[in-house]
Amino acid sequence: MAETPQQAMASLREQYAEVGANNYRPAFEAQLTSEQRRGLEGTIARFRGNEAFDSAARRAQEIFDLDRRTGVVEGAIDDNFQRYAHYLKMGLDEEAQFSASMMSGRQASQVAGIRRMRAQMIESMDQNIPGYREARNRWASLASAEEALGEGATLTNQNADAIRARLGQMTDFERYHARVGFANEIAERLGRRGSVNGNRNIAEALGSPEIQRRVSAMFETPEQAAAFLDTLNQQNMLMRNAQQWGTGSQTYSNAAHGADE
């Protein structure tokens, strides 16, 4: 992978406002059928009264009001219902992120509940707003990227079948960031184990058929998986070489005398 998780998020933050607005425009301008409108309204009505959802709704109203004042939209929420639903989803993004950052043992179930509520809201939007899932497939949200990065790191502990099943549920956008998280976690393990436990465990891990199956499941083609493993093997070799340059080693001594000369 060409990016670390930090680089991926920095890139998204730089581009999000401009690309996000253009990406979702066709979905915002699509005409909803009466059945689609009822489906979306039913989902929203089901969650009203929940503290986190009501907070997200206030945030959505604030964003909509600001967009109306600045000329981004015209008319009321009823005239821009799918845009308002998107702003509700953005509010739930913020609620999930805030709750996670403040999480204690007592709040863990609440965070999980907010994320389930957000997932169900997104599912309803995918089903009832023409083009919304396609827009998310190209460009989702910062919250979606952060979650995918984190989940990608945890997929290193899943078997190949579980990895394939989870990737199949993701959009292309989420899948890319999950791969970044997965690749970074594997590379980090290489660094940690190489410095703490020596090189033998890492060399065995990289050669493990199970690890290779997980990597293969994570990437789109066998060539991509092979290239990633090859990069890790090269990194492992460089680490082993670097350890020979520590102070007191023969290599270090030879280099020092060479510099003196």
Side-chain angles (χ1 to χ4, degrees):
M1 303 302 296
E3 294 183 296
T4 66
Q6 293 76 19
Q7 289 170 331
M9 290 307 302
S11 175
L12 282 176
R13 289 190 177 96
E14 288 176 3
Q15 305 173 59
Y16 186 70
E18 179 180 356
V19 177
N22 293 329
N23 182 56
Y24 285 98
R25 189 180 306 279
F28 293 160
E29 295 175 351
Q31 295 297 313
L32 302 186
T33 67
S34 57
E35 183 179 1
Q36 289 169 335
R37 178 71 178 249
R38 285 196 303 270
L40 205 50
E41 287 176 335
T43 301
I44 293 172
R46 179 156 48 92
F47 293 134
R48 287 201 187 280
N50 174 268
E51 181 181 354
F53 187 86
D54 289 348
S55 176
R58 288 191 295 272
R59 177 63 176 145
Q61 180 74 59
E62 290 173 0
I63 297 172
F64 186 86
D65 288 345
L66 182 59
D67 278 356
R68 186 166 51 187
R69 292 175 186 275
T70 57
V72 175
V73 296
E74 296 179 356
I77 284 176
D78 277 349
D79 304 316
N80 300 272
F81 196 64
Q82 47 268 58
R83 179 185 287 269
Y84 172 70
H86 178 68
Y87 292 169
L88 268 176
K89 199 277 299 181
M90 289 172 61
L92 288 173
D93 286 346
E94 294 181 6
E95 287 296 314
Q97 288 177 304
F98 175 77
S99 298
S101 68
M102 302 295 289
M103 187 172 64
S104 67
R106 181 178 59 82
Q107 297 170 315
S109 59
Q110 182 182 10
V111 175
I114 293 172
R115 287 178 172 168
R116 282 196 304 273
M117 181 166 57
R118 184 173 64 116
Q120 291 176 24
M121 182 69 190
I122 291 172
E123 182 180 8
S124 180
M125 294 167 71
D126 284 348
Q127 292 175 351
N128 294 299
I129 301 177
Y132 191 77
R133 178 173 173 80
E134 289 75 13
R136 284 200 312 113
N137 195 43
R138 292 187 298 269
W139 191 273
S141 66
L142 299 177
S144 296
E146 287 183 335
E147 286 186 12
L149 287 167
E151 186 171 2
T154 68
L155 289 178
T156 58
N157 299 318
Q158 301 292 317
N159 63 41
D161 289 340
I163 290 173
R164 289 191 187 92
R166 182 64 188 103
L167 290 180
Q169 298 169 340
M170 294 181 175
T171 64
D172 290 346
F173 179 90
E174 293 164 339
R175 202 175 293 120
Y176 170 79
H177 289 90
R179 288 188 180 115
V180 171
F182 179 92
N184 185 74
E185 176 63 17
I186 293 287
E188 284 291 313
R189 289 186 182 185
L190 173 63
R192 289 196 298 267
R193 293 184 186 176
S195 60
V196 176
N197 297 328
N199 301 292
R200 185 162 176 256
N201 289 343
I202 275 298
E204 290 176 353
L206 293 180
S208 162
E210 177 56 29
I211 291 296
Q212 291 177 1
R213 281 192 291 269
R214 294 178 192 180
V215 171
S216 179
M218 197 70 195
F219 290 91
E220 291 184 356
T221 67
E223 290 78 15
Q224 288 181 359
F228 177 64
L229 284 172
D230 185 57
T231 299
L232 291 182
N233 278 305
Q234 290 184 44
Q235 185 176 347
N236 185 48
M237 180 185 68
L238 289 171
M239 286 179 61
R240 282 186 281 119
N241 290 341
Q243 288 182 348
Q244 298 176 13
W245 288 72
T247 302
S249 71
Q250 186 61 47
T251 306
Y252 178 89
S253 177
N254 292 342
H257 284 104
D260 290 341
E261 295 172 358

